[in-house]
Amino acid sequence: MTGPAAMDPPGIDHPANAALCRWLAGRARPGTPAIARPDRFPRPYESLGTHPDLVARLWDEIAAVLPVDCRFVVFGAPALVRPDTGIVFGFACGTHAYALRLPENVRRQAVLAGAGRVMTYPRQPPLDLEIIGPEWVFCRWLAGEELWCRAAFEFATVAAPV
């Protein structure tokens, strides 16, 4: 990954982000900025309410293939945002969930490899990515996620279907 970590965050008002931002904003702590670089938070791997292993998986492992630094915090959640378009193409939350926004052909491959659209929890309602959009899938430490992340980065130049 290259690019300056101190670069100003892009705007995230792109229509492709609308449903995800509504959902994340509803879970955010009061006063949390809509988007910021991780260095604006003390110990971002431990302090964002997301399991540190998920943060590391998203930011350090699968995003390592990206040509620019896409690590951001969106409404308090670790996320991947394409800096030139402001489109969010990855996020993590809680103790089990991290997801990528994929083009249809890659999404089909991901589902065949074991990625899912619904995350179930023992004592909470399931999280169905349909509320965020049809492009999203939950990853699960599957082979090929780095390639999916690169496809998600490329796809982040395209608006969500209306």
Side-chain angles (χ1 to χ4, degrees):
M1 223 177 319
T2 61
M7 183 175 128
D8 288 337
I12 57 166
D13 57 351
H14 193 286
N17 298 334
L20 175 63
C21 286
R22 273 192 307 275
W23 184 76
L24 289 174
R27 305 179 64 214
R29 295 178 189 137
T32 302
I35 185 168
R37 281 288 182 178
D39 61 8
R40 295 257 331 266
F41 297 84
R43 299 177 40 213
Y45 286 75
E46 295 89 18
S47 67
L48 298 175
T50 299
H51 195 286
D53 290 346
L54 294 178
V55 181
R57 179 68 176 158
L58 184 69
W59 281 349
D60 300 335
E61 295 174 18
I62 65 174
V65 301
L66 301 177
V68 295
D69 185 358
C70 296
R71 295 171 298 162
F72 287 93
V73 178
V74 175
F75 291 106
L80 297 173
V81 181
R82 187 164 171 142
D84 59 344
T85 65
I87 296 176
V88 181
F89 63 93
F91 74 93
C93 63
T95 57
H96 297 94
Y98 67 104
L100 293 172
R101 178 181 177 265
L102 299 174
E104 185 177 352
N105 62 329
V106 178
R107 192 169 56 251
R108 279 194 309 266
Q109 293 171 10
V111 169
L112 288 173
R117 301 255 315 134
V118 178
M119 182 68 65
T120 56
Y121 299 95
R123 292 180 293 270
Q124 297 176 17
L127 172 54
D128 187 337
L129 287 173
E130 194 57 38
I131 65 169
I132 295 169
E135 306 92 358
W136 290 91
V137 296
F138 287 117
C139 299
R140 297 185 171 125
W141 268 267
L142 300 166
E145 288 180 356
E146 295 84 357
L147 298 174
W148 305 345
C149 187
R150 181 58 189 238
F153 173 81
E154 297 298 332
F155 186 51
T157 60
V158 180
V162 182

